Amino acid sequence: MIRGLHVSALCALLFLSARVPLAATPKECAAQRKHGRNVEAHACYEALARQTSPYLRAEGLWGLGMYQAANEQFRLAVSRSDHDALYRVRWGRLLHERFNNTDAENLFKEALARDPKNAQAYLGLALVSADGFDNAALRWNAKALELDPKLVEAHELMANLALEDSDVADAVKQADEAIQLSGDALDAMGIHAAVEVLADRSPDKWFDRIRQVNPTYGEAYALVAHHLVLNRRYEDGVAYYRKAIEADPRLWSARAQLGINLMRLGQHEEARKQLEMCYDNGYRNVATVNSLRLLDSYKYFVTYKDASILLKLHRKEADLLHPYFEAVIRRAIATYEKKYKMQLPGPVLVEVYPDHEDFAVRTLGMPGLGALGVTFGEVVAMDSPSGRKPGEFNWASTLWHEMSHVFILTATNHRVPRWFTEGLAVHEETQASPEWGDRVTPEVLLAIRDRKLLPVVDLDRGFVRPEYDAQVIVSYYQAGRICDYIQSRWGADKLLDMVHSFARLETTAQVIQQVLGLTPNEFDRQFFAWLDKDVGATAAHFDEWRTALKRLAASAKDHQNDDVIREGQEVRKLYPEYVYGANAYEFLAEAYVEKGNKRDAAAVLRDYEKRGGHNPATLKELASLEEELGNPMEAAATLDRINNVYPNDEQLHRHLGDLWFAQGEYPGAIREYAAALAMHPLDMTSAQFHLAQAYFAAGQTDKAEENVLQALEGAPNYRPAQKLLLQLEDAKRGK
C-alpha cells in the first residue's frame, strides 16, 4: 500500500495502465496535455501517480482530476521536505485552480520565505491577485519576470493584465514575447485573438495557429470571452464561451462562466442547465454555487410585464415598490429616448434584490462596481432600498444611472469605454435632478488636492485596476465631471456625438481630438483648470475644514448653540457639498431649533436637501418644520423625496397620504395610502378606509367600494367606513 494515499485514489490506481515509463515527469505530462494529446497525457499522469514520491504522486493525481487525493499528497510531500519551495508553489497552484486563493497565497509566500528568488511563487501571487482585479498582480508578475525573463506564463499573464487595462500595445508586446520564447504559448495567441475580436476584426489566423498546436484548447476561446464580458459585450462573450465548451466540453470553468453570463442576460433556464452540469461534475466554485442558490430563490420573486418593462421584485415588497420603480423606469425611458434620439429594441428587465448578497452574486467577477446597481445590456440588477441601511443610497438616482447604461450600451453596440459610459450616467443623474448623484466626497477632495486624477486616456484603469483604496469612487466622480464640463462648454450635442464616435470603435484619444478639437493633453489641462475653479479651494482647505468640523461637533455635543451657529456657518462655507455623516447642516439646524428659530433651521435643511443630503430622519425633520411654518405643499414634496431613498416606512406613507389628500392631490394620496396598505400594517382597517376615501374623492367609486368593504370585513362596526359606504350608495343612486 502507498503510504498516505487516499483510499479512493488507491482503488482507482489499481486499474491504471502502464503505457508510459515510470520516468515520466510533470513537465512531460503537461506538454502532452497542452498539445491536445489527451490519451498520452492521461497515461503519463497515471504513471506519475504510481511513483513513490508524494510530490510526483500529487502531480499525477492532480492531472487525473483527483483533487482531494492530490491535496493530501502535496501535504505529505511538504511535511517531508519543509525546505522545498517547489512543492509549496505547485500545491498553491492546485489550490488556486480549485478555488482556495487564501491558502494558495499563503503557500506562495511560504515558498518565497524558503526561496526569495522563486519566480514561480511570484507568478502564483500574481495569479491570485489578478482574480480580484488587484493592482498587486502587476507588481508580483513584474517581479516574476525580473527573476526569470523567459517565464512564458508570466508574459502571458502580463499580456492579459494589459488588455484588461485596455493597453492593447503592451498586451500585444507581451504576447509576442511569450510566442518568441515558446511556439506553443497558446494563451498569448488567445490574447492576440481577443485583440482582434475587440477591434471587430477576424481572429481566424490566431485560432488556426492555436488549433495546429491543440485542436481542443477551449481556454483560448474562454480568454476571448473574458475580455468581451469585461468590455460589457455580454452576448458576444456568451458566443465565445459556447465555442470554448464546443472545443472542450469538460472545460468547466468556461461552462460556469457561460451559465453566469446567461443569467446576466436573463436566460435563466439554460443558465441553470449549464451551472448544474458544472456542479454535478465537481466544479463548485463560489460563483457557481451561489448562482444556483440565487436561481432557486427566483421562485420568491414576482415579475410585472408589459411591452417595454419587465420588473422583477421580491414578493415580500413587490406591492410596495412596484409603482415607485415603474414610474422612474418609464420616466427614464421617455427622457433617454428623446435625449439620445433612439428607441430600445425590446423591453428592459430590472431586477431588485432585498438581500444584498443576492445582488452581489449577480455582479461577481466584475471590476470597479459601485455595488449599488449593474447593467448587462438590457438587464439591470440593483439593490432594493431595503437591502441597505435607511438613507445609505438614493435608489431612484441609481436606477436612473443604470438606465443610462441600457441606452448607451445599446446605442454603441456595447463598444464604449468604461469611463465614458460611467461618466455619462453620473452626469445624467444630476441632469434628472440637482439633488441626485453623489457629491464630492472627502476621498475625492484628497485625490484632487494630491493630484491623483488620471489623464482622460487612462481613466478606464481607475475603474478596472485601482492603485489606491478610493480610486474607483474618484474615477466615477472625475468621469462625471468630465461630462459636466463637456456639456457646459460645448453643449449636450457633443456628448451624443461622442456616443456615435465610440460606436465606430474610435479611441478616447481620437474622440477627444475629432469631436472636441483638442489633443487629450490639452483637454486634460483645460478640464483640470475648470475643475480647480469649482472645487480647488475646497480641496486646498480640506485640513482646515476637518479641524473645524471636529471643533463644531464638540460644540454641538455640549449644546453650545451660539458657538455652533457661528462655527457651523464657517464650516459650511469651507466645504458646502459635505452632506454625509456629522455634517454642518444638521448641527446648525439642531442649534437653531433649540434656540426656537425654526425658520432658519428649515432654511439650513433646505440647503442640505438641495445639495443632495438624503438622510431620511433629517428630511423628516425638515418636513416637520415646513408644516409648522405653514407650508404643507413643501412638506409633502420633502416627504415625497424620501420615497426615492427609503420607501419602506409605513408612517411616512400614511402622513404623506394625509398631506396630499388635504391638498386635493388625490392620485398622490392613493399611491401613498396604497403603499401603507402594502406594508401590512397592524391597523389594516384604517389603512383600507383611507385608501377607499382617496379613491372616492378621485371619483373611482368601484375601487373605493372594494376597499371600504374590506375595511368593514375586518371591523364591521368601524363608523368612518360605514359612513363612507353610505356615501357610496348615495352616489350610486345619484343623490
Side-chain angles (χ1 to χ4, degrees):
M1 178 178 178
I2 302 175
R3 184 181 178 188
L5 189 63
H6 193 271
V7 174
S8 62
L10 178 60
C11 293
L13 291 176
L14 292 175
F15 299 97
L16 298 180
S17 68
R19 287 172 286 181
V20 176
L22 293 183
T25 67
K27 186 175 180 179
E28 291 169 351
C29 297
Q32 297 278 19
R33 176 163 288 171
K34 188 167 190 178
H35 286 79
R37 296 190 284 268
N38 294 327
V39 173
E40 294 85 347
H42 189 84
C44 186
Y45 284 119
E46 286 177 343
L48 284 180
R50 293 196 305 272
Q51 298 283 0
T52 58
S53 161
Y55 162 65
L56 293 177
R57 290 202 300 270
E59 291 280 5
L61 292 164
W62 181 5
L64 295 170
M66 303 169 71
Y67 304 113
Q68 183 178 348
N71 185 61
E72 293 172 359
Q73 289 304 300
F74 272 124
R75 181 177 286 107
L76 181 60
V78 165
S79 69
R80 291 184 178 180
S81 302
D82 181 70
H83 63 284
D84 198 307
L86 170 65
Y87 296 172
R88 282 177 163 78
V89 169
R90 294 299 294 162
W91 191 9
R93 291 295 296 268
L94 167 67
L95 295 180
H96 170 256
E97 182 181 307
R98 299 305 295 173
F99 336 124
N100 186 349
N101 273 344
T102 300
D103 288 343
E105 181 178 0
N106 290 335
L107 284 166
F108 296 138
K109 289 180 178 178
E110 289 175 14
L112 287 171
R114 288 155 178 79
D115 179 8
K117 295 185 177 181
N118 192 303
Q120 289 282 354
Y122 280 110
L123 172 61
L125 289 172
L127 288 168
V128 168
S129 297
D131 281 353
F133 298 96
D134 187 341
N135 199 54
L138 292 167
R139 298 194 298 272
W140 295 128
N141 204 50
K143 184 65 176 178
L145 286 171
E146 177 188 329
L147 293 167
D148 184 358
K150 295 184 178 181
L151 186 54
V152 173
E153 195 177 0
H155 283 292
E156 290 180 313
L157 177 58
M158 195 64 85
N160 190 55
L161 296 173
L163 193 55
E164 287 182 345
D165 288 343
S166 302
D167 189 342
V168 174
D170 192 42
V172 169
K173 174 178 177 290
Q174 293 292 336
D176 285 343
E177 289 190 29
I179 293 169
Q180 288 173 7
L181 289 167
S182 173
D184 61 1
L186 297 178
D187 285 348
M189 299 177 198
I191 289 293
H192 268 290
V195 168
E196 299 305 306
V197 171
L198 290 172
D200 285 343
R201 299 188 296 261
S202 172
D204 288 353
K205 72 173 184 179
W206 291 104
F207 282 119
D208 287 343
R209 288 184 63 173
I210 290 166
R211 283 190 291 269
Q212 289 172 10
V213 177
N214 182 352
T216 65
Y217 196 70
E219 288 89 337
Y221 296 102
L223 186 60
V224 174
H226 166 75
H227 285 283
L228 286 166
V229 169
L230 195 63
N231 283 274
R232 302 184 177 189
R233 290 170 59 175
Y234 302 106
E235 291 186 359
D236 292 341
V238 163
Y240 269 89
Y241 279 126
R242 292 193 192 280
K243 291 176 184 288
I245 63 173
E246 181 182 351
D248 182 359
R250 297 187 63 80
L251 185 58
W252 304 116
S253 58
R255 193 177 292 276
Q257 283 299 314
L258 172 60
I260 288 168
N261 282 284
L262 286 168
M263 278 184 68
R264 287 170 174 163
L265 296 175
Q267 300 176 34
H268 299 139
E269 289 186 12
E270 188 186 355
R272 180 185 290 279
K273 175 184 174 183
Q274 300 292 348
L275 292 167
E276 285 181 343
M277 195 180 303
C278 294
Y279 187 89
D280 292 343
N281 283 276
Y283 193 84
R284 300 176 181 177
N285 66 334
V286 171
T288 298
V289 173
N290 286 347
S291 295
L292 283 169
R293 287 175 179 163
L294 180 58
L295 285 168
D296 287 340
S297 77
Y298 283 172
K299 61 188 175 187
Y300 301 115
F301 282 74
V302 177
T303 302
Y304 301 89
K305 302 178 181 180
D306 67 20
S308 58
I309 297 174
L310 300 172
L311 176 58
K312 187 161 73 175
L313 300 166
H314 197 283
R315 66 188 185 193
K316 70 182 181 182
E317 57 182 13
D319 289 342
L320 169 66
L321 298 183
H322 175 210
Y324 299 101
F325 272 77
E326 182 176 330
V328 173
I329 296 169
R330 291 199 186 284
R331 186 160 67 93
I333 290 174
T335 300
Y336 290 137
E337 282 181 346
K338 182 178 180 180
K339 176 173 279 193
Y340 298 146
K341 300 180 174 66
M342 62 171 288
Q343 290 186 328
L344 297 174
V348 178
L349 169 60
V350 177
E351 303 173 350
V352 184
Y353 293 95
D355 185 340
H356 175 70
E357 293 308 312
D358 286 343
F359 168 67
V361 171
R362 297 294 270 124
T363 63
L364 198 64
M366 303 296 292
L369 290 165
L372 294 173
V374 63
T375 300
F376 305 110
E378 291 165 31
V379 178
V380 172
M382 63 180 290
D383 272 326
S384 166
S386 63
R388 297 280 184 146
K389 294 179 180 178
E392 192 167 316
F393 81 118
N394 185 312
W395 67 262
S397 182
T398 297
L399 180 54
W400 197 270
H401 177 114
E402 299 304 327
M403 289 298 296
S404 170
H405 289 329
V406 172
F407 276 81
I408 296 304
L409 290 174
T410 301
T412 62
N413 197 21
H414 295 244
R415 273 78 165 169
V416 60
R418 188 174 296 270
W419 79 263
F420 183 76
T421 185
E422 294 296 356
L424 188 57
V426 171
H427 167 79
E428 293 292 9
E429 289 181 73
T430 53
Q431 292 295 296
S433 171
E435 299 155 10
W436 285 5
D438 289 336
R439 292 331 194 238
V440 57
T441 65
E443 297 91 341
V444 171
L445 280 180
L446 289 173
I448 292 171
R449 185 193 68 181
D450 298 339
R451 301 186 182 280
K452 289 185 175 181
L453 300 190
L454 292 170
V456 65
V457 295
D458 295 329
L459 190 48
D460 267 10
R461 294 198 74 247
F463 294 94
V464 178
R465 206 176 308 283
E467 296 180 352
Y468 55 92
D469 287 344
Q471 190 167 21
V472 172
I473 296 172
V474 172
S475 299
Y476 271 97
Y477 175 83
Q478 180 182 351
R481 295 313 306 273
I482 285 175
C483 292
D484 292 344
Y485 172 59
I486 291 170
Q487 177 166 307
S488 69
R489 178 171 172 183
W490 287 280
D493 286 346
K494 287 296 184 183
L495 291 171
L496 188 56
D497 290 344
M498 294 176 76
V499 171
H500 296 151
S501 294
F502 284 126
R504 294 191 294 269
L505 284 180
E506 294 175 5
T507 66
T508 293
Q510 291 170 329
V511 171
I512 295 292
Q513 180 73 62
Q514 293 171 13
V515 176
L516 304 181
L518 297 174
T519 66
N521 287 340
E522 182 60 21
F523 176 84
D524 287 333
R525 188 188 68 77
Q526 294 184 20
F527 165 69
F528 289 140
W530 174 84
L531 186 64
D532 185 66
K533 288 181 180 179
D534 187 28
V535 297
T538 304
H541 293 96
F542 181 81
D543 290 337
E544 180 185 347
W545 166 82
R546 182 165 51 187
T547 300
L549 181 62
K550 289 179 180 178
R551 187 166 58 247
L552 173 62
S555 298
K557 183 179 179 181
D558 294 337
H559 297 276
Q560 298 174 0
N561 293 322
D562 290 337
D563 291 340
V564 169
I565 291 170
R566 185 184 70 256
E567 295 166 0
Q569 299 291 2
E570 293 303 314
V571 170
R572 189 165 59 155
K573 289 178 184 177
L574 286 171
Y575 185 175
E577 285 200 297
Y578 184 76
V579 290
Y580 307 100
N583 60 77
Y585 298 95
E586 291 172 325
F587 288 139
L588 274 168
E590 183 179 359
Y592 280 130
V593 168
E594 290 186 3
K595 289 177 68 67
N597 186 349
K598 294 181 179 180
R599 192 168 300 280
D600 281 350
V604 166
L605 292 183
R606 273 193 289 271
D607 194 21
Y608 163 86
E609 180 185 48
K610 181 181 70 174
R611 294 184 181 277
H614 54 240
N615 182 339
T618 304
L619 294 182
K620 281 185 179 181
E621 174 66 18
L622 171 58
S624 178
L625 289 168
E626 288 169 333
E627 275 194 87
E628 291 180 38
L629 293 169
N631 300 311
M633 284 291 287
E634 291 182 9
T638 297
L639 291 178
D640 200 34
R641 291 185 182 97
I642 299 176
N643 282 327
N644 291 330
V645 180
Y646 194 75
N648 302 64
D649 184 335
E650 177 197 339
Q651 292 304 316
L652 166 70
H653 295 301
R654 283 180 176 270
H655 188 51
L656 181 52
D658 292 343
L659 286 172
W660 288 137
F661 188 86
Q663 295 165 71
E665 294 287 340
Y666 301 126
I670 289 170
R671 184 191 63 187
E672 295 308 312
Y673 289 140
L677 188 60
M679 298 191 72
H680 306 288
L682 291 175
D683 186 359
M684 289 287 289
T685 299
S686 68
Q688 288 165 331
F689 164 72
H690 282 108
L691 180 56
Q693 191 178 42
Y695 276 128
F696 181 58
Q700 300 182 48
T701 55
D702 289 347
K703 290 185 177 180
E705 184 175 4
E706 176 186 338
N707 281 276
V708 78
L709 288 174
Q710 288 176 350
L712 288 169
E713 183 179 339
N717 297 319
Y718 188 60
R719 292 187 62 82
Q722 292 174 339
K723 182 178 179 181
L724 179 57
L725 183 59
L726 290 173
Q727 290 177 288
L728 282 164
E729 291 175 352
D730 288 343
K732 283 183 179 180
R733 292 193 295 266
K735 290 185 179 181

